[in-house]
């Protein structure tokens, strides 16, 4: 049965392309945060270990919501590391930085994801996809708030 939700295929595909970038950013940020959770050391170990766990759990749930929105628009969601690597704006970390650099990288990552979300909101709004714009607005607010909280730890 074909989809008929009031948004033409061309617009659904365009919105999904931006959602796919947001999904890649979300998943990449999830991986980085989870790695930092496993590998953090230093005087703030306990608080950072716990905070990173809260953050990666939130990102995991968010990735599922974004992917399901792509599917709602009748487009297949990317789901491989190679696809995410091509789509993400999050810088990969292959080493183990100190706790302060972990926080700095996560601030940068959340700000990059916020920028990706902001672009996606514009496309969704222009294409009459209020449902996607609403979902992404929530993601934008979460990334901005998390960046602020992390940044505050650096002062």
């Amino acid at each position: 049965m074909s989809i008929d939700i009031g948004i033409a295929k061309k617009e659904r595909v365009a919105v999904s392309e931006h959602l796919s970038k947001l999904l890649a950013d979300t998943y990449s940020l999830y991986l980085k945060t989870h790695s930092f959770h496993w590998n953090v050391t230093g005087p703030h170990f306990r608080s950072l270990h716990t905070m990173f766990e809260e953050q990666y759990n939130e990102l995991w749930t968010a990735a599922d919501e974004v992917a399901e929105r792509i599917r709602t628009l009748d487009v297949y969601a990317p789901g491989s590391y190679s696809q995410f690597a091509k789509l993400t704006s999050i810088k990969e970390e292959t080493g183990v930085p100190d706790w302060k650099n972990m926080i700095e990288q996560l601030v940068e990552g959340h700000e990059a994801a916020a920028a990706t979300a902001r672009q996606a909101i514009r496309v969704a709004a222009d294409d009459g996809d209020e449902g996607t714009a609403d979902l992404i607005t929530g993601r934008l607010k979460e990334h901005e708030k998390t960046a602020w909280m992390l940044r505050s730890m650096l002062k």
Side-chain angles (χ1 to χ4, degrees), residues 21-155:
K21 291 177 184 178
L22 182 59
L23 176 59
D25 279 359
T26 303
Y27 197 83
S28 298
L29 198 50
Y30 158 78
L31 285 173
K32 182 179 276 196
T33 306
H34 208 152
S35 173
F36 291 172
H37 163 78
W38 289 327
N39 294 305
V40 68
T41 59
H44 307 289
F45 168 79
R46 178 81 174 129
S47 60
L48 291 175
H49 183 76
T50 301
M51 181 183 69
F52 292 159
E53 182 175 9
E54 292 168 358
Q55 290 175 358
Y56 77 68
N57 282 327
E58 193 281 329
L59 289 162
W60 180 260
T61 300
D64 193 55
E65 291 173 355
V66 173
E68 288 181 355
R69 184 63 192 176
I70 294 168
R71 292 298 298 132
T72 299
L73 297 174
D74 200 35
V75 176
Y76 288 105
S80 70
Y81 292 120
S82 62
Q83 288 173 305
F84 289 151
K86 290 175 186 173
L87 294 167
T88 191
S89 63
I90 306 299
K91 295 176 187 170
E92 182 179 31
E93 174 59 69
T94 58
V96 181
D98 66 27
W99 69 269
K100 188 173 182 181
N101 189 254
M102 287 179 177
I103 293 172
E104 290 168 345
Q105 286 190 46
L106 293 178
V107 168
E108 291 170 0
H110 281 282
E111 288 177 344
T116 299
R118 203 172 298 286
Q119 289 178 315
I121 290 169
R122 288 187 197 110
V123 172
D126 290 347
D127 288 345
D129 186 352
E130 292 83 5
T132 297
D134 181 61
L135 169 75
I136 303 169
T137 299
R139 296 303 318 140
L140 171 65
K141 289 169 35 179
E142 187 64 32
H143 287 299
E144 290 175 338
K145 180 178 180 182
T146 302
W148 159 65
M149 294 179 108
L150 288 164
R151 194 180 312 101
S152 295
M153 296 181 74
L154 298 171
K155 293 186 176 189

